[in-house]
Amino acid sequence: MDFWRRHRRKIFVSCGVLGGGYFLYKLYDAHRQRLAMIESELANEREKDEIIKRQLLRHFMNIQRIADSTTLPHTIQLLHTRLTDEVDLTSLKDRLIQVKGQSSSVSTSEKLELWERLKIQSFTRIILSLWALTTLSLYVRVQVNILGRHLYIDTARGLGSFLTPDDGSAVESNDEQQFLESIDFLSISGLRALVTKVHAAVTEIMDGKQLQDHFTPQVLRETFLQICEQFMSPATPHEWIHFLMPTEAGSSDLTNTSTNSQMSQDESKFNQLMSETRAVLSSVEFRNILEVSLKTVISSLVEDAAQQLPQLSSGIPLAKLLPRVAQMGPSLLHETSRDRYINIIYKIPDVEIFFTLLYANMPVS
């Protein structure tokens, strides 16, 4: 008892210190375990994020590969066929051959009329080919970036995956496929109105140019640019979009009461994709890169023409240049030339920057 009385305070203090230390140790151990658990969860999340990023990249690259290797070549080939039908120079050339050498006043008048028609038709076809190749190349890249952005958002929100579990290859949904196929609208539905518009622009510019006028590479380049500027007049800045894509995005018949909710959801997603595409095409930024791309392709095409027609460098009469212009349109859409000019477009710094920003900063609706 004497010992207890003498050391009671020390014992209480020692027990308090030991108990407090044990309590603090337990708190620290629990905190350490929670930190370890959080770090493990974060590591798992990072690993999942990396897996998702790799899957998204594979899907995005697959869509881009499909667009570049299948969708765009198919569309341009279809366009080439339709252009040949809509702007046919064969009958004009055949008729010129028939009247060649005839000396009557009627045949002379007819020959002049035929040459004037050949002038307008030749420049109409080359401008159509130039504009369509450039615009479709940019259009399909817009589609790819919009699809890639939507894929990222949908996956991040847990709305489903487009990927097979075995190999990570991309599986296109109905709205994705329909969206990519919409690039054929120009060839199927919009071309005839586009031909009329371009023909009017060509007539406006070329009426002041005579068959005996001498053309140099610089004059030819300026003529192409003037026609494009006339066609894409600031007075109607967005009219050309109606040639490229339908005014109304929806194309499926949803009036049937048996239509299931998935079809309605796909249609809604397709409309959203088309609406975002139209917004991009209507932007000042897209118009700027379209103009830059057209100027670049025109410059490259004229350089190629000067190499293949050496006398053009010193200037030749328009009448002698017309056969070459008539050939340039179809050759521009052939596989070798097509791929070369598309690569030129995609390597323009302004184009690269535009699509980088488009994918990174596209607003989420």
Side-chain angles (χ1 to χ4, degrees):
M1 293 296 294
D2 291 339
F3 178 82
W4 172 253
R5 283 195 297 270
R6 286 196 304 271
H7 299 286
R8 180 175 56 187
R9 182 182 298 274
K10 295 180 180 178
I11 292 172
F12 284 146
V13 171
S14 298
C15 289
V17 171
L18 290 173
Y22 179 76
F23 177 72
L24 290 174
Y25 169 77
K26 295 298 290 183
L27 284 177
Y28 168 77
D29 186 59
H31 178 67
R32 183 177 58 80
Q33 290 181 6
R34 284 197 297 270
L35 287 178
M37 185 180 300
I38 291 172
E39 289 178 358
S40 177
E41 291 175 353
L42 289 174
N44 290 335
E45 288 296 325
R46 285 194 295 268
E47 184 178 356
K48 290 179 181 178
D49 287 343
E50 289 299 320
I51 292 174
I52 291 174
K53 287 178 182 178
R54 288 194 297 269
Q55 290 176 332
L56 289 173
L57 179 60
R58 281 197 293 270
H59 181 74
F60 179 76
M61 294 302 294
N62 190 65
I63 292 176
Q64 183 165 306
R65 178 185 57 78
I66 292 171
D68 289 344
S69 64
T70 304
T71 306
L72 186 56
H74 163 78
T75 297
I76 292 178
Q77 180 58 45
L78 177 60
L79 175 70
H80 173 61
T81 302
R82 294 280 287 110
L83 264 178
T84 302
D85 295 337
E86 291 290 335
V87 190
D88 185 17
L89 303 181
T90 305
S91 59
L92 281 174
K93 293 177 181 178
D94 291 344
R95 183 57 184 157
L96 276 170
I97 293 173
Q98 285 180 356
V99 301
K100 185 178 181 180
Q102 296 182 12
S103 58
S104 68
S105 58
V106 175
S107 66
T108 300
S109 174
E110 184 179 356
K111 278 192 285 187
L112 287 175
E113 181 186 354
L114 288 171
W115 275 105
E116 286 297 318
R117 288 172 56 193
L118 181 63
K119 177 183 72 174
I120 299 300
Q121 292 291 82
S122 297
F123 275 85
T124 296
R125 186 156 71 171
I126 183 60
I127 294 299
L128 282 166
S129 300
L130 274 168
W131 186 86
L133 176 69
T134 303
T135 307
L136 288 175
S137 301
L138 296 174
Y139 181 27
V140 75
R141 192 54 61 95
V142 169
Q143 287 186 317
V144 168
N145 279 271
I146 288 176
L147 281 177
R149 181 66 174 174
H150 271 272
L151 173 68
Y152 178 84
I153 294 169
D154 289 348
T155 304
R157 289 174 176 172
L159 299 181
S161 174
F162 297 94
L163 305 164
T164 59
D166 297 330
D167 59 3
S169 59
V171 179
E172 292 182 36
S173 65
N174 291 334
D175 51 316
E176 278 185 332
Q177 183 176 357
Q178 187 181 7
F179 180 54
L180 287 175
E181 290 174 352
S182 68
I183 196 175
D184 285 337
F185 178 83
L186 172 62
S187 301
I188 296 172
S189 304
L191 184 59
R192 184 159 296 177
L194 176 63
V195 170
T196 301
K197 184 72 174 180
V198 172
H199 187 275
V202 170
T203 303
E204 181 75 19
I205 299 300
M206 296 303 296
D207 267 356
K209 300 185 184 298
Q210 306 301 317
L211 293 172
Q212 63 270 24
D213 290 348
H214 275 63
F215 270 62
T216 62
Q218 182 63 24
V219 173
L220 182 59
R221 179 180 181 276
E222 290 176 356
T223 301
F224 286 155
L225 290 174
Q226 288 172 358
I227 297 172
C228 289
E229 290 171 3
Q230 179 69 24
F231 161 59
M232 298 185 69
S233 170
T236 54
H238 300 145
E239 182 183 8
W240 58 269
I241 298 177
H242 301 315
F243 307 134
L244 198 63
M245 60 190 306
T247 304
E248 298 296 333
S251 59
S252 298
D253 184 6
L254 301 179
T255 58
N256 191 327
T257 55
S258 64
T259 301
N260 59 40
S261 60
Q262 182 60 46
M263 290 179 64
S264 299
Q265 181 180 352
D266 284 347
E267 183 66 19
S268 176
K269 184 61 175 291
F270 171 72
N271 288 340
Q272 182 182 7
L273 292 169
M274 294 294 282
S275 177
E276 290 182 12
T277 302
R278 186 176 290 103
V280 172
L281 299 186
S282 302
S283 68
V284 175
E285 292 80 7
F286 184 84
R287 184 180 177 90
N288 290 339
I289 68 159
L290 177 56
E291 291 177 355
V292 169
S293 300
L294 277 170
K295 290 178 181 178
T296 302
V297 173
I298 287 172
S299 296
S300 299
L301 184 66
V302 171
E303 289 175 5
D304 293 344
Q307 291 179 357
Q308 298 169 13
L309 195 66
Q311 56 268 44
L312 178 63
S313 299
S314 57
I316 60 173
L318 177 57
K320 291 187 177 181
L321 179 62
L322 282 182
R324 178 58 194 160
V325 173
Q327 294 173 1
M328 288 165 70
S331 64
L332 185 65
L333 301 179
H334 289 162
E335 183 176 355
T336 303
S337 298
R338 176 197 73 211
D339 293 344
R340 176 175 176 272
Y341 289 112
I342 289 174
N343 287 331
I344 289 173
I345 292 169
Y346 288 160
K347 290 180 181 178
I348 299 172
D350 288 350
V351 173
E352 292 180 337
I353 293 172
F354 174 84
F355 285 114
T356 299
L357 295 176
L358 175 64
Y359 184 76
N361 300 325
M362 188 182 301
V364 180
S365 57

